[in-house]
Amino acid sequence: MTATATTVDEPEQLEPQAAPASRAAGLVRRLVPAAAATLSGVLLYVSFPPRTLWWLALPAFAVFAWTLRGRTWKAGLGLGYLFGLGFLLPLLVWTGVEVGSGPWLALAAVEAVYIALVGAGITVVSRLPAWPVWAAAVWIAGEAARARAPFGGFPWGKIAFGQADGVFLPLAAAGGTPVLGFAVVLSGFGLYEIVRLVLEGRRTRAVQRGAAAVALLSVAVPVVGALAARTLVSDKAENGTATVAVIQGNVPRAGLEFNAQRRAVLDYHARETERLAAKVKAGKVAQPDFVLWPENSSDIDPFANSDARAVIAGAAKAIGAPISVGGVVERDGKLYNEQILWDPEKGAVDTYDKRQVQPFGEYLPMRSLLGAINKNWTSMVRQDFSRGTKPGVFTMDGTKVGLVTCYEAAFDWAVRSEVTDGAQLISVPSNNATFDRSEMTYQQLAMSRVRAVEHSRTVTVPVTSGVSAVIMPDGKITQKTGMFVADSLVQKVPLRSSETPATKLGILPEMLLVLVAAGGLGWGVATAVRGRRSTGV
């Protein structure tokens, strides 16, 4: 009887000890992928400007793939959201510089939902043959959706925008930002697959030749493609050259309040232009063919205010060249963020109205609802800016200059439309003073470098408070200013009129990748359903 009692009692003694160990092991199994997903998102952020660590995007996606492959779509949803927060929270911190942490956290939380859906999609295709291809296409489909909705989309943080210093950059000329981003993500997933197969091969002493070939090609093809695409990148002049001047007048102080000192901002830019004119007269710098001022360089409407008109006219006559002036203009009761072509003899001769206006910055969606929640929100954007409807290409001393105002630089269609409308040079007038010395300026500058290669055009970036720059068609910065200083840049730049494959193809590469993603998702779902039926689940 004693022996029998001992035999029965042993499991009862061991069970309480085994249960906590089992729960702890389960908790670790859940926490490790969650932590890895979050940290890989942070790693992706670190690959973005102002750092030049573009290559960190590859291990970031490799670790992300490790957290997702073979898991359920529900797990992918959660892990994708953590990856998105790890990436977007630090990337977009500048959005809360002047308005507080609420809008920043809300924006990152909403944008991360797209990456959560991408994570779920990647788990669905992760069991398919050649899964890195399908998974990379799913990522680009997520970027395409994020660039369009809600409120016109928010493309900030597209993978392509972190690759201005990378070996993959020439692919922007081949197929635009979708192809460049696809190549980077594919290489990251391929890197994970190579490591996985090597470790599995050591354990099983068997090589999956088909999977190994796909893994190697996932890394090799993008790299070889990028090297081949270098032939599309050129900074040679096709239509002669132009001597351009970029003016950075600076602002009285950083922050939202600088708009209350808009006359001072206008005076600063006029003064810097007159200072440049004195240098030209003294023979210190070349006479510019035209001059580019930044967005919001004249928040006083020169069509309605004679003082502002006189200041701009004086600056144009002093430099003896046409100026593109960034103004805030009211017309027919509507407010426009406008670029004004100001001729030294004729005055205002052309205008371009910003087409992609910024939600919650230049207009307030759901104004009545937000006002009912918090009246302070509606007071920050008292009147909505209206949208322009036509591309803006100014003829400045014979040169076709395409205008892409600030936020528009993030949108593929906005930049391309200027080039297809005849622009030989692109200007991205911007106002970053609201965001102080945050990384926003450098992130936007990197976008302009990618756009230069994408369309093979010189890109100038005149900014109120910095960093202003001149970028060659190969994406290299030849001149730039500091931040919160008054300065000017003068340079002879090449003019080009040929179109890259990316310019000619437009949205087609992105559409193709979205279709590939849809096909992979459909195949993955069908495969999962057949698997459940065959097992009777």
Side-chain angles (χ1 to χ4, degrees), residues 416-437:
R416 178 178 179 268
S417 66
E418 310 299 66
V419 179
T420 57
D421 204 48
Q424 300 166 305
L425 176 149
I426 298 170
S427 183
V428 185
S430 302
N431 174 20
N432 297 339
T434 300
F435 305 109
D436 203 9
R437 297 180 181 272

Side-chain angles (χ1 to χ4, degrees), residues 54-55 58 163-171 180 222-223 225-227 230:
W54 58 270
W55 51 272
L58 273 65
Q163 295 296 309
D165 292 293
V167 298
F168 298 103
L169 179 60
L171 288 170
L180 173 53
V223 173
L227 294 175
R230 293 179 67 179

Side-chain angles (χ1 to χ4, degrees), residues 369-448:
L369 176 61
L370 292 177
I373 298 172
N374 190 331
K375 290 184 179 180
N376 289 333
W377 293 345
T378 56
S379 64
M380 290 177 65
V381 186
R382 292 185 177 87
Q383 183 178 351
D384 293 342
F385 279 84
S386 296
R387 304 170 187 270
T389 58
K390 297 179 181 178
V393 179
F394 288 168
T395 300
M396 304 184 73
D397 196 41
T399 298
K400 299 286 187 180
V401 180
L403 284 306
V404 181
T405 306
C406 196
Y407 184 58
E408 292 182 320
F411 294 82
D412 295 347
W413 66 268
V415 184
R416 178 178 179 268
S417 66
E418 310 299 66
V419 179
T420 57
D421 204 48
Q424 300 166 305
L425 176 149
I426 298 170
S427 183
V428 185
S430 302
N431 174 20
N432 297 339
T434 300
F435 305 109
D436 203 9
R437 297 180 181 272
S438 69
E439 294 183 356
M440 182 271 187
T441 295
Y442 302 99
Q443 293 170 8
Q444 190 177 54
L445 187 60
M447 290 181 196
S448 296

Side-chain angles (χ1 to χ4, degrees), residues 216-231:
L216 291 171
L217 288 173
S218 295
V219 177
V221 170
V223 173
V224 172
L227 294 175
R230 293 179 67 179
T231 59

Side-chain angles (χ1 to χ4, degrees), residues 163-173 229-237 446 448-459 470-478 491 494 496 500:
Q163 295 296 309
D165 292 293
V167 298
F168 298 103
L169 179 60
L171 288 170
R230 293 179 67 179
T231 59
L232 301 173
V233 180
S234 174
D235 60 0
K236 293 181 179 179
S448 296
R449 295 179 62 191
V450 173
R451 298 306 185 190
V453 174
E454 182 179 13
H455 299 291
S456 194
R457 294 291 188 274
T458 297
V459 176
V470 177
I471 305 167
M472 290 293 100
D474 61 1
K476 291 184 174 62
I477 297 175
T478 52
Q491 186 170 330
R496 295 177 60 84
T500 63

